[in-house]
Amino acid sequence: DVVALGGGYVLSVRLVSAQSGEELGAFRETAKDASEIIPAISRLSKALRSKVGESLRRVQATRSLDKVSTSSLAALQKYSASIKAVDEDNDIVKSQQLLEEAIAIDSTFAMAYRRLSVTLSNRNVARDRMIQLAQKAYDLRDKLSDAERFNTVAWYWSRGPSPDDAKAIAAYESLVELDSNDFAGANNLAVSYNAHREFAKAEPLWRHANRVDPTLAPPYNGLVALFIRQGRIAEADSVIGSMARNLPRSSQPAILRRNLAYATGDFERQLTISDSLKKAQPNNIALLTNIAGNLGQLARVRGQLSEALRHSAEVRDRNAAAGNPQARLNAGLDVPEFDAWFRGDKSKSLRGIDAALAANPLDEIPAVQRPYTRVAVMYARAGRSDIAKSLLQQRESSGNAASIEPEQREGERHQILAEIAIAEKRYDDAIREARASGWGACVTCSNPLAAQAYDLAGNADSAIALLARYTDSPDRVSNVDQTWLAPSHKRLGELYEAKGDTAKAADHYRKFITLWEKADPELQPQVTAARQKLAKLAPVERPR
């Protein structure tokens, strides 16, 4: 029962035996105002479950209900079920469906709009709707409690129509100052700090968020990724173990173990875990998409282009079905990208890009979802810097760039300018732009592009320094490695050999051969050439 009393509320619940009608327990909580009703319900629920015999440990481990404002109990139930779907079952598609039902029930449910926007962002689908939902939640912010409002405002400045990192961080900091135990505030502020490479600030916030509620996945994900990038493998493994104990039904610990396997170079374990995940959850669409994307990146790292295209096609099909109108264009660009980068056939790549755009014109895709950066980079690599320049201008004038987070926006702009400068043999400009192209948590991800510019400018020492820092660092990610890792080892072998450093040359040729040992037949001549060079440098090595 809920009774209004003197501006506040009294909540009570009775536990009655179904057999005898005997009262087994009575519990009561008070709430000063509407914003305290949900926490009061959580306290009552735990007291009730303890009375009926659940262990104290299990009751204490139960996550508290989110503090969200809605006039509809049915909408709140949908919202709560959506959280359970993603955090316990790792079923983000089901979570999305439940949130859609929640806002259909209560069209003023600001936090449901916000969470649905977050869900679309995490799935990387329907970017235009993600922005619209962030705007809708923001428009309803005056109806919210202070904590809800800070969360909503922060998300609006993170993923709304005109992102502003400083304003987003300020809102999250205000939320944490208001309530240091607000899970979303602590976790999301950690995410923001991490994206700005303030790792020393991010780690304690994630640890705190994990202590606030160990049944929620985000802090585990953040800590594991952070530890992997810093080479703290044992700590990453320990966090995964803790997550598995606290989220026994979730597939997320297995995903993190897969990521850890990649980071340590254990590709066979990565494949085994991926196969087990597919068998365990054959109907989890978002999980299957994640697995296919991950396997496609691994295939590219290993020079298995046909396998990579097969996985990529699965990802593109699923993304198109999920609401990404640019997915068909991206599918058409996959082969031309390989033609220029792996096969060195610029003319064929150019024909493929033109054909993909003829079949899927950019102006038929919502501006915020047009893959300007990818297309511009591909045109530059195919030798058409003039088209790349035009696309960069369109990116700025169409509103596409304005909808991207500021650091990413600038990082991608510098990347495009670097690729254009390389195509036009303006290597000093390319060096400057490439070095400015880094963004996000990965510190070394822009190194290979800058190294390429130094290499082409004839500065072998700087190229070696940047490539070695990239290949030797744990701070690497597979979506960069899929393009650069094997070619970087191969080029380091050549550069060290030219300098007469046979030991380091042999080491990098050996690593290149290991990566591409099972590469497609069309790439095997490069592997054979590396084996021949290795045999000359290290006579104990013999071509297999």
Side-chain angles (χ1 to χ4, degrees), residues 279-309:
K279 290 177 179 176
Q281 296 198 40
N283 299 315
N284 189 327
I285 296 172
L287 177 62
L288 295 175
T289 304
N290 174 287
I291 293 169
N294 180 266
L295 291 175
Q297 290 174 352
L298 177 61
R300 284 182 61 169
V301 168
R302 304 177 85 181
Q304 298 166 348
L305 304 187
S306 298
E307 183 76 358
L309 287 172

Side-chain angles (χ1 to χ4, degrees), residues 64 151 179 215 279 317 322 378 461 483 493:
S64 299
N151 245 319
D179 181 1
T215 68
K279 290 177 179 176
D317 287 344
M378 288 182 63
D461 288 342
T483 300

